[in-house]
């Protein structure tokens, strides 16, 4: 245990799990106490029945949202790590990390966002979008609330051929896309409650956006971004970096996509180590 420097907690993205940090955690552990967590609904964590706003409350249900995932991370930091921490989040794990940083207050000494989710489908991002998106939003919300539809969509997506197709988009260089990665992502989807987090997530139309959270934090935030991310454009990262005072750095990984920490760990790990060492 390293008692003189902050710990590091790695927070995965949607559809992933703690094993998605397979090429990072051991390297970072040489420089700080390093943990990885499975968010509720993913990996080996519990998979409670998804509750949506307006549905009858059930004791065994769970609202899959950034407040609750943030609370999970906060509790883990306070009850397990028990020391100041740097949060590292990929994709939606970035938003979870930002929300947890707010909850942790002085116990969080920095956040590293790796291709943070921009949440393009949130209602708050509708202004400026084509009018048909606003007109069709009520119909879309009605449809994705239907459990039979979300279950079928998930079942069709949780196939090896589909996962490999998505990975070809997410990892444009093709590096580190192998059967091990497919298994890491696919195995948790075979558990009985795996479709519940999918249902909860696709119904998140009004939740936290990263820029709102960043503006309410006074800790250093660093960005690492794959230049070829097909879902979270590099232009968005550049806008954040140029317009938000809390963001002190933006490192762009050429030819990398949405998960540069796994696609090109030899490029990303030295950046993570540098930030961690600077926090000692």
């Amino acid at each position: 245990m390293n008692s003189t420097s902050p710990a590091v907690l790695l927070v995965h993205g949607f559809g992933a799990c703690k094993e998605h940090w397979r090429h990072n955690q051991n390297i970072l552990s040489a420089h700080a106490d390093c943990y990885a967590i499975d968010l509720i609904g993913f990996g080996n964590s519990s998979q409670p029945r998804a509750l949506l706003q307006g549905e009858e409350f059930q004791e065994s249900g769970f609202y899959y949202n950034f407040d609750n995932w943030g609370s999970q991370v906060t509790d883990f930091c306070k009850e397990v790590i028990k020391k100041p921490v740097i949060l590292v989040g990929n994709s939606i794990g970035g938003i979870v990390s930002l929300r947890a940083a707010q909850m942790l207050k002085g116990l969080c000494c920095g956040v590293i966002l790796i291709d943070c989710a921009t949440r393009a489908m949130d209602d708050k991002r509708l202004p400026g979008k084509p009018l048909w998106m606003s007109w069709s939003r009520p119909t879309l919300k009605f449809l994705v609330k239907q459990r039979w539809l979300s279950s079928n969509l998930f079942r069709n997506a949780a196939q090896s051929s589909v996962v490999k197709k998505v990975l070809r988009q997410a990892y444009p260089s093709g590096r580190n896309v192998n059967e091990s990665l497919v298994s890491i992502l696919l195995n948790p989807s075979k558990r009985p409650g795996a479709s519940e987090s999918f249902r909860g997530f696709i119904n998140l139309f009004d939740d936290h956006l990263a820029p709102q959270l960043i503006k309410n934090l006074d800790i250093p935030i660093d960005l690492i971004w794959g230049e070829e991310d097909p879902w979270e454009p590099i232009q968005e990262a550049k806008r954040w970096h140029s317009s938000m005072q809390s963001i002190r750095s933006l490192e762009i990984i050429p030819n990398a996509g949405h998960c540069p920490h796994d696609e090109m760990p030899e490029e990303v790990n030295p950046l993570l180590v540098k930030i961690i060492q600077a926090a000692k």
Side-chain angles (χ1 to χ4, degrees):
M1 296 290 287
N2 189 331
S3 60
T4 61
S5 63
V8 175
L9 177 59
L10 307 171
V11 186
H12 64 79
F14 179 75
C17 56
K18 62 183 181 297
E19 285 78 18
H20 201 209
W21 303 100
R22 56 186 176 154
H23 297 307
N24 316 108
Q25 189 170 9
N26 286 342
I27 300 297
L28 301 181
S29 292
H31 303 275
D33 299 331
C34 187
Y35 302 79
I37 190 172
D38 282 333
L39 296 174
I40 293 172
F42 301 100
N44 290 319
S45 278
S46 60
Q47 298 175 326
R49 185 177 178 86
L51 291 177
L52 305 182
Q53 295 296 329
E55 292 184 342
E56 182 179 352
F57 178 77
Q58 299 179 24
E59 193 68 34
S60 60
F62 182 77
Y63 290 107
Y64 289 93
N65 58 39
F66 293 108
D67 282 344
N68 285 340
W69 282 318
S71 293
Q72 178 195 358
V73 168
T74 299
D75 290 344
F76 185 87
C77 291
K78 291 181 176 180
E79 297 173 16
V80 178
I81 299 178
K82 298 180 180 179
K83 63 187 293 189
V85 64
I86 298 170
L87 300 176
V88 183
N90 173 229
S91 191
I92 69 163
I95 301 181
V96 174
S97 296
L98 291 169
R99 186 67 184 104
Q102 288 185 327
M103 297 175 175
L104 285 165
K105 300 179 180 177
L107 283 176
C108 181
C109 50
V111 177
I112 304 173
L113 303 177
I114 303 177
D115 291 71
C116 183
T118 58
R119 303 201 56 246
M121 292 298 291
D122 193 280
D123 286 347
K124 294 183 287 298
R125 300 201 63 181
L126 278 175
K129 296 282 181 70
L131 282 177
W132 66 265
M133 293 186 71
S134 296
W135 295 338
S136 62
R137 184 56 58 94
T139 302
L140 175 64
K141 289 181 176 180
F142 173 79
L143 288 173
V144 297
K145 275 187 175 181
Q146 310 310 309
R147 187 174 291 278
W148 65 266
L149 179 59
S150 63
S151 297
N152 277 289
L153 288 172
F154 179 81
R155 192 177 304 113
N156 290 332
Q159 304 291 332
S160 178
S161 60
V162 176
V163 170
K164 290 177 180 178
K165 183 177 179 180
V166 171
L167 287 173
R168 284 195 292 270
Q169 290 182 288
Y171 291 57
S173 73
R175 290 160 65 174
N176 288 328
V177 176
N178 48 38
E179 289 302 321
S180 174
L181 177 59
V182 174
S183 295
I184 285 170
L185 301 178
L186 199 56
N187 287 347
S189 72
K190 304 304 181 185
R191 295 174 60 200
S195 65
E196 294 301 318
S197 60
F198 178 79
R199 180 176 189 250
F201 182 73
I202 64 174
N203 280 280
L204 277 185
F205 289 102
D206 186 16
D207 209 329
H208 296 288
L209 298 177
Q212 297 171 333
L213 296 171
I214 291 170
K215 289 174 181 177
N216 289 313
L217 288 170
D218 58 1
I219 56 175
I221 297 169
D222 297 278
L223 307 182
I224 299 174
W225 221 275
E227 188 173 29
E228 304 300 327
D229 190 325
W231 305 315
E232 313 298 351
I234 188 63
Q235 291 78 13
E236 190 86 355
K238 291 178 178 178
R239 280 194 293 271
W240 292 3
H241 184 225
S242 64
S243 63
M244 287 184 260
Q245 194 171 14
S246 293
I247 298 178
R248 65 179 177 183
S249 72
L250 167 61
E251 297 287 349
I252 298 172
I253 311 300
N255 305 313
H258 188 58
C259 308
H261 64 287
D262 191 58
E263 184 180 6
M264 297 188 182
E266 67 283 355
E267 303 287 339
V268 173
N269 283 336
L271 300 174
L272 294 173
V273 169
K274 180 180 177 181
I275 296 168
I276 292 165
Q277 289 181 327
K280 289 184 179 181

